[in-house]
Every structure is written in structure tokens, then in C-alpha cells.
Amino acid sequence: MNEKARKEIDALRETLRHHERLYYVLDQPEITDAEYDAMMRQLNELEAAHPELITPDSPTQRVGGKPREGFVKVAHSTQMLSLDNALNEEELREFLNRIGNVDYVTELKLDGLSMSARYQGGRFVQAVTRGDGLVGEEVTENARTIRTLPLSIPDPGELEVRGETIMNRRAFERLNAEREQQGLARFANPRNAAAGGLRALDPAVTASRRMDFYAYLLLSGGEPVHESHAESLVALEKLGFKVNPNRRLCNGMDEVIAFCAEWESRRESLPYEIDGVVIKVDSIAAQRQLGWTSKAPRWAIAYKYAARQASTIVENIGVQVGRTGALTPVAHLQPVAVGGVTVSRATLHNEDEIARLGVEIGDEVLVERSGDVIPRVVRVTRQGESRRPFHMPAHCPVCGSNVVREEDEAATRCVNTNCPARLKESVLHFAARLVMNIDGMGDALVDQLVDRGLVKSVSDVYDLTLEQLVDLERMGKKSAQNVLRNIDRSRQNPLPRVLVGLGIRFVGVRTAVLLAEAFGSLDVIANAEVETLQQAEEVGPKVAESIHEFFREPRNRELVERLREKGLKFDHPRKERKAGKFDGMTFVLTGTLASMTREQASERIQAAGGKVSGSVSKKTSYVVAGDEAGSKLDKARKLEVPVLDEKKFMDLLN
């Protein structure tokens, strides 16, 4: 039986690895998510029945690590040096003149975090960050969660692969949208988000960042495996690694300069951030002959693109409504060239940022295009003579619904789920696997449905017809039938999934289950007052207020009625609540905890019957203060609320 199971497990692993490479590395999927998930479930079941056959390189082991307490320092096989910079074309020409007329490999300089991955016997065994170049931090369990890093390769030797860990723009925007929805601060740029994700104490946090690993160097025993850098990149592709295709083997100075100029003008077309081009001598023998300084190789240089900043006038400040309903002030600028692109708008993020900058309409400001996906205002360089302040509107500029700003949050939001500005994201959220689980309804399909006016509300999903779907791009009759079948099946989902699907802020899967079990009906929840909602387990003032505000909006009420007409389940069996040791207690978390994330701390508190609030009041039982605790700690002291450091908090939990 073991031999039969081994063969079946090996075959499933090989098939899953093949489809992972097609999906994550080559962007050429051949099967649906449902088919992939079915194979993964089958492998999980087989491994559960035969735990002795589980191997570290199995696709099931991508996210298997537990949160750690810290990082182990690891010395690199050979130094991971940084590169000298050429800040303009003249400095680049000086470097190329010094080397001479040889072959160079030019590669886009990805804006991420360098990492080394080691393989033994074809299996991934260790990952280490660059650190100071001599010693880095081991991040093996975190690296396992990066789908573009193979857990096994077809080479039985001992190899080391170095590369760049990045977050692409789409993943970055999704992460920031999720953080906004949770009331957390946005990350400033993809590099910061990727660096924080790779060094997170909990591998699940890394997995949630949806990062990529681009390989650029293949070593064995600390030395290059091939005789040229170009050969090394091709070999990495054959081993199954993601290697940036936007590279070129250039002969001499003119071709290198042309490549740099080409990508400076095309950089905005890329799905990720770059800040220049890396130029390396192709021949490994020539690299050895040129040697290294104490800080950088003499055979390579990073050509940094010019800073993308310029001064201009703020002609007006408007408001843009994002996918999560957040109202973002946008500066309408006197058009100005920034890094080769004409800029006429720049984000101001929120009211607090406007106050921090002190910017008003009519001011002269410095605008930057660096790191952020869209331009931003850096500072006021000169106040305008007839300047006037900006005021956030009281109603959504797109749909006219009420807007709200919760206490201790920077963002102001439209509360209408069907606001056209946030409709696409609302539909994608509704159809997600852990929500209504409508397989096949992804970005491409939703974009077409909304753009063609076929879906003007989440509820319109249930009115789609076969004729409408087959008329869309890349949608055959069989695919359309599958989507319609999955839509129809979703009507049978229980109330907690419907609650999550409504997109109420702070109402995730667990909170939705607790609400459904506490009240037994969507109608009861919709009509409950804030105080009543707080009687549900783990529902604090912030969550209760968000739920109450959602159902006060008439357009959201209309959506609920339309979903009722479509046959969705609005009732759920009630459950008697069990007592916990934190019953009746409210906690506020501030700062960073070393032993767990803030989300994990919240779950531990709620599991013991306590509530977690985002603001300190006289009714707060405890404030848990980690490193770099903010204004909440000051308020707790002012109100004489008991404060727990991390050790006391852990003692209380245990």
C-alpha cells in the first residue's frame, strides 16, 4: 500500500509543480483553479494518511511553518556585494570606457530585497537575506510561501540561487486596499511591503503579500556554474526559476546606452517597480580578472534613472473614490514633466496628509514619481498668494451616498457597496473562494461585465445569461456554462458567507460566523442598534458601528433586498455563547509585538471572550503596548487605563 501511495503522491506532486510553474512563472495556466484545488486536496488527503511520505519540497508545504521568535544569522558562501551606482549617462560611459568593448548583460534593476536560496539533492533547504553582504538572516519558512521559488529543481547537486524578492504593483495595491479595509496604515511603496513580508515572524504574513522571486545568479560552492552570465540566466530558466525576460546581451557601449534609454521610457508599462538598469560583464573569466573592491565588483554597475521630481502649481484638489470606497484627495496640477512623463495629477492620500503637508489650492509643490504607483506631493515649496483650503465632501462625489470617517482612522469612505467607483472590487470580493466561491469569476471576466454594463450591482451576477457570457472575450460556451453553474450553486451558501460577501468593513469570515450564530438572521443584524450588535462575541464598538453604518445606507438595503429575491440564505442556526476568561473585557493594541502579529493577538483575545477596540476610552480594560507604541499609549496613561507590556500580556493570555 505504501509503494502504491508513494507512486500516486509522486505523480500528483509532479503534476502540481508543472501547473504551478505554468501559472506563477510563465503566466500560462492550462487548468482552472477548481481543478488545481481538487488535486491539492487529493494530495493533502494522501499525505495525511501517509505522513511518513511527506517531504519538505511537497506543494502542500508552501505555508507550513509556525511563527518564530526571531531570525538566525547565516554567513553567505561568498559575499553578496552591493553595486556601485552610475547616476547619469556620463558616469555610465566612464565605467564602460574603463572596461572596454566587451559583451555586457543588461538587466532591469528591480526594486526589492536580495535573497539567496540553497538547494541540496534538488530540494530547497535554506533561504537567507542579503543582510550586510557577509551575514544575512535565515528566512527559509517565509521563502517557501513564494510561489515563484521552486521547492525542487531537476539538478541533484548543491546549488545556490541568488535573486530579488519583489511585490508587483497589482499585489501592492491589493495589499494596501486590504489594509485600508482593516483600518491599517498603507505601505509607502512595494519595496517596503516586500521587505516587511520577507522578514515577518509569521510565514502566513509572507504568503499574504503575494511576492515574486526573480533569479539572477547561479552558484555552486560559492562560484558561478557557467562561463558567462548570459548562460547562467538561461540555465536558471531551464531549472524552473522565474528570470526577467527584459534583458539583453549587448556588445559595447552604444548598445548598453540604447537599452538603458529604451527602458527609461518604458518603465511605467512594467507590472513592477524598477529604478534603473544593472550592467554586468558577461564573461566570468573577465569578471575574475577585473576583481572586486571592498564594497562592490569592478565588473558591474547599477545605472540609476534620474530622480523623478519637479515643482508645479496645485490648480485644484478633487476627490477620487477607490475600490474599497476610500475617498482619496487628488491634486490637480499645472502639467509638468517628471522623469520624461507629463504629470497633471498627484495623490494627497487623506485629510491628515494634507494637514501634515500644509498644502492648499494655489501652492507650489514638489511632485515625485518614485516608488509609489502614482505620483505624490512631497512638500510645499512656496505658498500661493491667493491660496484656499480643501474640505472633504460630506457625500460621495460618484454616487451621492453618505461618507464616514471612523475614529482613529485617516481614510474617509463611501458606505455604498454598489458605488460605481468600487463595484468591480465588490464583485470580485463577493465571488472570492472564501466568500460566495463563484469559481471562474476573476479579474478579466469582472472587468468585462462591469465595463459592458452587464453588472451594475453585485446582485446582477444572478441575472447573467449564457448568451451574455459567450459574447465576452475568451469565454467559450463550456466556460460560460461552468460560471453560470457556479453562480447558481452559490445560492446555497450559508448566511456567514453572504454577510462577508456584502463587504461590510471589519466583517471577515470569523466575525460573520459569530454574528450569524448570535442573531440567527440577516434581518435581525440589519435592524440591530450598535449596543445590541456588541452583544455578539468578539464584536467591539468599531465593528458594531461599521455594521450599523452599512445598513443605514438605503442603497445597501436595496442590495440586501435584491439578494433576497435571488434566493440567497438569510437565516442561520443560533448558538449559545460559551463563557471565556476575558468576558466583558475590552483590549486596545498599540505598537509592534515581537512574538506575534497584531491580528494574532486579536484572535487570542477574542478566543478567550474579550473584545478588541481601535480606540482607548474609560471603558477599556487593558491597553497592550508593544514597541513604538503611539498616541493610544499616551491616552491610556491620561485616562489611567491599565497598560500591559508584551510579557505581562503573554502571562495574562497563558
Side-chain angles (χ1 to χ4, degrees):
M1 281 297 293
N2 261 15
E3 187 57 33
K4 181 182 177 182
R6 185 188 304 277
K7 288 181 179 179
E8 193 172 356
I9 285 171
D10 286 345
L12 272 171
R13 286 174 181 165
E14 193 60 35
T15 303
L16 284 164
R17 288 180 189 127
H18 169 71
H19 289 295
E20 279 186 344
R21 176 167 166 73
L22 287 174
Y23 186 91
Y24 293 105
V25 178
L26 302 179
D27 196 22
Q28 298 172 356
E30 288 182 347
I31 60 174
T32 65
D33 288 352
E35 291 170 314
Y36 177 89
D37 290 343
M39 284 190 286
M40 184 66 84
R41 278 196 299 273
Q42 187 180 355
L43 179 58
N44 266 311
E45 289 168 2
L46 283 168
E47 288 184 345
H50 303 277
E52 71 279 4
L53 300 180
I54 298 175
T55 59
D57 64 332
S58 172
T60 63
Q61 302 304 297
R62 282 282 181 194
V63 191
K66 296 179 180 178
R68 64 182 68 77
E69 294 186 1
F71 292 98
V72 176
K73 302 289 185 181
V74 177
H76 293 296
S77 58
T78 55
Q79 193 170 356
M80 287 184 74
L81 295 169
S82 56
L83 299 178
D84 285 334
N85 293 327
L87 301 180
N88 51 52
E89 188 177 316
E90 182 182 353
E91 291 181 3
L92 177 58
R93 287 182 181 275
E94 285 179 9
F95 167 81
L96 297 171
N97 275 324
R98 187 170 69 249
I99 303 296
N101 192 33
V102 300
D103 285 341
Y104 299 91
V105 174
T106 50
E107 305 167 68
L108 301 184
K109 186 175 181 299
L110 303 179
D111 194 14
L113 198 72
S114 295
M115 186 180 79
S116 165
R118 276 200 315 117
Y119 291 80
Q120 288 181 348
R123 289 182 177 176
F124 168 69
V125 294
Q126 188 181 56
V128 182
T129 63
R130 192 180 80 86
D132 63 3
L134 293 171
V135 176
E137 294 176 326
E138 183 179 357
V139 289
T140 306
E141 293 306 314
N142 290 5
R144 282 185 190 280
T145 71
I146 302 173
R147 296 284 181 171
T148 46
L149 180 72
L151 296 182
S152 62
I153 58 175
D155 189 310
E158 291 195 15
L159 297 175
E160 179 184 352
V161 177
R162 293 181 178 178
E164 198 80 359
T165 305
I166 71 163
M167 179 178 288
N168 65 41
R169 291 174 174 175
R170 190 182 188 92
F172 176 66
E173 282 300 292
R174 280 187 173 178
L175 173 64
N176 268 344
E178 289 167 3
R179 289 179 69 83
E180 282 189 343
Q181 196 165 22
Q182 295 163 9
L184 301 174
R186 289 174 59 93
F187 281 106
N189 53 59
R191 188 188 188 284
N192 287 0
L198 190 59
R199 295 189 69 259
L201 293 175
D202 185 356
V205 174
T206 313
S208 71
R209 299 284 166 93
R210 306 176 184 94
M211 296 190 292
D212 273 335
F213 178 77
Y214 281 86
Y216 58 66
L217 184 60
L218 180 62
L219 302 173
S220 179
E223 293 293 324
V225 175
H226 298 277
E227 291 305 309
S228 80
H229 183 59
E231 288 177 44
S232 181
L233 294 175
V234 172
L236 284 165
E237 286 179 321
K238 290 180 179 178
L239 287 172
F241 290 91
K242 193 170 189 175
V243 180
N244 200 318
N246 300 311
R247 62 184 192 268
R248 191 174 298 163
L249 183 62
C250 300
N251 181 256
M253 181 183 298
D254 291 344
E255 291 186 15
V256 171
I257 298 294
F259 181 90
C260 293
E262 174 189 342
W263 281 104
E264 185 163 19
S265 64
R266 294 176 59 189
R267 63 191 294 193
E268 295 306 316
S269 67
L270 293 166
Y272 44 74
E273 290 286 340
I274 65 169
D275 56 0
V277 173
V278 174
I279 299 100
K280 300 173 184 173
V281 171
D282 184 44
S283 166
I284 303 301
Q287 288 182 10
R288 293 192 181 104
Q289 188 175 357
L290 288 163
W292 295 259
T293 67
S294 61
K295 296 181 179 179
R298 292 191 176 94
W299 42 265
I301 200 165
Y303 173 63
K304 301 295 286 288
Y305 288 139
R308 299 180 292 176
Q309 290 186 337
S311 291
T312 186
I313 304 297
V314 178
E315 296 182 331
N316 199 1
I317 297 178
V319 171
Q320 179 177 301
V321 184
R323 290 183 175 183
T324 63
L327 273 64
T328 302
V330 176
H332 295 248
L333 307 169
Q334 196 174 89
V336 62
V338 184
V341 175
T342 299
V343 170
S344 59
R345 294 190 175 195
T347 181
L348 289 165
H349 296 296
N350 52 57
E351 287 179 286
D352 290 350
E353 179 69 0
I354 291 175
R356 186 189 71 80
L357 292 168
V359 63
E360 294 188 7
I361 298 164
D363 288 349
E364 181 181 89
V365 295
L366 186 68
V367 181
E368 180 180 71
R369 290 175 61 245
S370 176
D372 283 332
V373 176
I374 60 175
R376 68 186 184 96
V377 173
V378 178
R379 65 175 182 272
V380 175
T381 54
R382 182 176 56 82
Q383 292 185 351
E385 292 181 6
S386 57
R387 62 199 305 249
R388 66 184 192 277
F390 163 80
H391 299 287
M392 188 66 78
H395 297 91
C396 174
V398 176
C399 70
S401 299
N402 294 329
V403 298
V404 296
R405 179 179 175 179
E406 302 292 348
E407 185 181 357
D408 291 338
E409 287 191 19
T412 300
R413 301 176 187 278
C414 169
V415 298
N416 177 17
T417 303
N418 287 324
C419 175
R422 56 182 298 199
L423 179 58
K424 287 182 182 179
E425 188 65 21
S426 295
V427 176
L428 284 169
H429 170 76
F430 187 82
R433 187 173 303 159
L434 294 178
V435 188
M436 298 303 285
N437 193 25
I438 305 176
D439 189 36
M441 189 162 284
D443 293 293
L445 177 56
V446 171
D447 281 346
Q448 291 188 74
L449 292 173
V450 175
D451 291 344
R452 295 197 184 192
L454 298 176
V455 169
K456 297 178 181 177
S457 162
V458 168
S459 63
D460 290 344
V461 166
Y462 293 98
D463 294 327
L464 292 171
T465 66
L466 183 64
E467 292 72 24
Q468 289 173 329
L469 291 182
V470 295
D471 190 44
L472 302 176
E473 294 176 14
R474 300 181 66 182
M475 180 62 69
K477 185 176 180 180
K478 185 176 180 181
S479 297
Q481 288 172 333
N482 287 337
V483 170
L484 290 174
R485 183 168 58 252
N486 293 331
I487 290 172
D488 191 51
R489 284 176 180 169
S490 73
R491 300 177 203 266
Q492 301 308 311
N493 284 323
L495 174 58
R497 286 186 177 245
V498 177
L499 271 171
V500 178
L502 291 174
I504 306 168
R505 293 193 67 222
F506 311 123
V507 177
V509 175
R510 178 172 172 78
T511 303
V513 170
L514 294 172
L515 284 166
E517 290 177 346
F519 297 106
S521 162
L522 180 58
D523 293 326
V524 175
I525 296 168
N527 293 313
E529 295 298 328
V530 172
E531 294 75 14
T532 305
L533 290 167
Q534 289 184 67
Q535 293 174 12
E537 190 176 351
E538 300 182 17
V539 174
K542 191 173 184 178
V543 178
E545 184 61 46
S546 176
I547 297 167
H548 187 251
E549 193 70 41
F550 178 89
F551 288 110
R552 280 175 58 190
E553 170 55 46
R555 291 174 178 82
N556 294 341
R557 288 278 192 169
E558 290 171 12
L559 171 62
V560 169
E561 291 310 310
R562 286 197 292 268
L563 291 176
R564 190 197 305 275
E565 292 169 5
K566 308 306 176 189
L568 273 65
K569 292 183 178 292
F570 278 23
D571 295 312
H572 191 81
R574 294 189 64 175
K575 181 180 178 183
E576 291 300 321
R577 184 177 175 276
K578 294 181 180 179
K581 66 178 180 179
F582 289 167
D583 270 7
M585 299 169 66
T586 301
F587 291 73
V588 172
L589 303 171
T590 180
T592 304
L593 301 177
S595 58
M596 65 181 75
T597 65
R598 191 176 295 190
E599 290 76 14
Q600 290 168 334
S602 296
E603 288 173 4
R604 293 285 298 275
I605 291 167
Q606 291 164 348
K611 297 179 181 179
V612 179
S613 175
S615 58
V616 181
S617 71
K618 290 182 178 180
K619 294 182 179 180
T620 303
S621 306
Y622 291 103
V623 168
V624 180
D627 291 339
E628 299 181 8
S631 59
K632 294 175 185 176
L633 177 57
D634 297 332
K635 189 171 182 180
R637 288 169 175 161
K638 184 178 178 181
L639 296 176
E640 298 183 349
V641 172
V643 176
L644 302 174
D645 61 18
E646 185 164 359
K647 184 180 183 305
K648 290 179 180 176
F649 174 57
M650 295 303 295
D651 290 343
L652 191 64
L653 277 176
N654 295 327

